[in-house]
Amino acid sequence: MNDVLDGLTEFLTVARERSFTRAAAKLGIAQPTLSQTVRALEDRLGVRLLIRTTRSVSPTEAGERLLQTAGPRLDDIRADLEAMRELRDKPAGTFRISAIDFTVDYILWPKLAPFLEKYPDIKIEITIDYAMTDIAATGYDAGVRLGGVVAKDMIAVPLTPHARFAVVGSPSYFERHPAPTVPQDLTGHRCINLRLPTYGNLYAWEFEKDGQELRVRVDGQVVFNGIFQVLNAALDGFGLAFIPETMAAPHLEAGRLRRVLEEWCPYWEGYHLYYPTRRQSSPAFALLVEVLRYREQDKAMQSR
């Protein structure tokens, strides 16, 4: 049985990364060694698990089945073993989190920095990800999303009390263009778009007032796939932007940006840290969750 299991971790890493190069770097082994290990597993099972070309690697039907069935089980075993190792005086472990850059800078890092100083044996790997990534299938320990879009089978922990976006533009932009008074006016403005990788589409700006919900698809000269670049373009006068209120606040106070359509921007369920139930078995992860959990005393930090 041990012979059959040999190479399973290596195969799962390659299948998830879709690359021998990235998988070898992640596992800390040479690429030829990794390739030989996976080939030996295929030989023992008598079935081909990966389709290899000069430009890509992808699972075969059998490989995809093994990835979906064995992958979560192996993750559970790793979590249990890690929990056993953490029964020491010092909490320890490595945790991978998927989040967008805004939530990392404004929500996670202000709490993570002192936490990591206190617990030097805990390591955090954060991936900036605008896709609706399946964290359980891709090996992440947790993710950050608005509460309304967290899958029902996940445990969700609040990180902020609420979330709200703002439509903003620079004073120089409004010197050349009249301010919109209703969301429909945005179709006549230069707007800075955000492309979301999950669907390959431009994000439609979402509004609500007196029970009326609107989604407006805007147009403009520039498109980005990161929210900080959208902010910078707005500051430079390239058009109107739809960005988190917390991000806009210091620029509004300093007069670098001006806000419009505020009465049309609803409050949404706040950002949440979410994770599979298996993660409850780790004491170090429980500490991480508690330090990130939103509390009333966090209001001053959230409004900075």
Side-chain angles (χ1 to χ4, degrees), residues 44-149:
R44 289 196 302 275
L45 296 178
V47 64
R48 192 177 183 187
L49 300 175
L50 294 171
I51 300 172
R52 305 163 173 84
T53 70
T54 56
R55 303 182 66 178
S56 66
V57 177
S58 60
T60 62
E61 182 178 351
E64 185 65 32
R65 178 178 177 182
L66 185 60
L67 174 62
Q68 297 301 325
T69 56
R73 295 175 187 174
L74 194 60
D75 289 339
D76 288 342
I77 293 172
R78 285 200 188 99
D80 290 339
L81 292 176
E82 191 169 330
M84 295 297 294
R85 288 198 299 268
E86 289 172 357
L87 296 177
R88 306 181 297 178
D89 293 336
K90 293 183 178 180
T94 299
F95 306 112
R96 300 179 66 220
I97 301 175
S98 169
I100 67 170
D101 42 7
F102 162 73
T103 58
V104 174
D105 284 16
Y106 282 77
I107 301 171
L108 298 183
W109 187 245
K111 289 185 174 182
L112 282 178
F115 173 77
L116 294 173
E117 287 284 349
K118 184 177 180 180
Y119 298 104
D121 292 331
I122 293 179
K123 299 179 181 179
I124 305 293
E125 178 183 342
I126 297 177
T127 298
I128 304 302
D129 180 16
Y130 276 78
M132 300 291 281
T133 298
D134 183 343
I135 62 169
T138 50
Y140 286 100
D141 297 288
V144 177
R145 288 183 191 167
L146 288 172
V149 295

Side-chain angles (χ1 to χ4, degrees), residues 23-46:
K26 189 170 185 178
L27 293 169
I29 61 177
Q31 185 174 333
T33 301
L34 175 60
S35 181
Q36 292 171 8
T37 301
V38 174
R39 183 74 72 184
L41 174 64
E42 291 176 318
D43 291 342
R44 289 196 302 275
L45 296 178

